[in-house]
Amino acid sequence: MSKILIEFGIPRKLVRLVKMSLTETYSRVRVGKNVSGRFPIRNGLKQGDALTPMLFNFALKYATRKVQVNRDGLKLNGTHQVLAYADNVNILGGSIHTLKENAEALVAATREIGLEVSADKTKYMVMSRDQNAGRVQSVRIDNSTFERVQEFKYLGTTLTNQNSIAEEIKSRLR
């Protein structure tokens, strides 16, 4: 995490303070009225810590920057490949090949910093007017298989492979 913060230009003094707050931390678990003994937190960020969302955002931005290196991807409003908000990430690609390359780069970058892409929650969708585009039904990266979908919800909006707003309008009228 220190390396990432330094790369983003955070002053070394603040990086040291953050590092101190993440080392030698302990936690307890409460179930009902019972509280466990103290145990060390060896990796990850502390849940509920005020720094956690900011540190997660730095880590995710670091990983998505690595994906942005592949400039063959689809451009959306002048930018490339990745849309990220909180822990929702969309990878764009003009072809299945580019999409797979970008997904591989994201998986590798997140692994490097200790994050993990959830294969169960990861899907892909081909948005194209060409009905024959991306006939592949699943994309395999490492030991994970990502399922192809015809539509998905992102930030509350339904996106479809035909780029149709009909489903979105129906859901808003309900």
Side-chain angles (χ1 to χ4, degrees):
M1 191 76 227
S2 300
K3 176 182 135 188
I4 294 169
L5 293 174
I6 289 168
E7 188 170 309
F8 278 99
I10 304 299
R12 289 187 184 275
K13 184 174 183 177
L14 288 177
V15 172
R16 281 194 307 275
L17 288 171
V18 168
K19 192 173 181 178
M20 285 170 46
S21 77
L22 296 175
T23 56
E24 293 190 40
T25 58
Y26 296 88
S27 193
R28 296 174 190 254
V29 175
R30 180 190 318 240
V31 178
K33 293 182 180 180
N34 301 320
V35 178
S36 74
R38 195 172 83 144
F39 58 90
I41 304 294
R42 292 193 176 91
N43 63 355
L45 300 171
K46 293 185 282 186
Q47 190 172 0
D49 187 321
L51 282 176
T52 297
M54 183 184 66
L55 295 175
F56 177 79
N57 287 340
F58 275 118
L60 186 59
K61 183 65 177 174
Y62 176 83
T64 58
R65 276 186 177 179
K66 294 231 175 205
V67 178
Q68 300 290 5
V69 170
N70 177 359
R71 295 294 178 194
D72 295 332
L74 185 67
K75 281 189 178 183
L76 180 69
N77 202 21
T79 63
H80 289 83
Q81 290 101 11
V82 180
L83 304 173
Y85 180 80
D87 63 348
N88 292 304
V89 178
N90 283 317
I91 301 173
L92 308 174
S95 68
I96 291 290
H97 176 73
T98 302
L99 180 87
K100 187 173 180 188
E101 280 184 348
N102 292 337
E104 286 170 345
L106 182 65
V107 167
T110 56
R111 186 177 296 130
E112 175 190 325
I113 58 174
L115 296 177
E116 188 175 312
V117 174
S118 170
D120 294 338
K121 295 179 182 179
T122 304
K123 314 283 186 238
Y124 82 96
M125 181 175 73
V126 176
M127 293 179 79
S128 175
R129 291 187 180 109
D130 178 4
Q131 291 298 309
N132 296 320
R135 289 191 169 241
V136 178
Q137 291 304 308
S138 62
V139 170
R140 188 162 179 78
I141 298 171
D142 290 341
N143 295 325
S144 301
T145 301
F146 303 133
E147 173 192 355
R148 181 177 179 179
V149 296
Q150 303 302 312
E151 67 178 46
F152 71 95
K153 211 166 200 56
Y154 182 69
L155 300 180
T157 301
T158 302
L159 302 172
T160 69
N161 65 335
Q162 296 297 305
N163 205 17
S164 167
I165 62 166
E167 288 302 314
E168 179 61 20
I169 291 171
K170 283 181 197 174
S171 70
R172 300 258 174 161
L173 292 175
R174 290 182 207 149

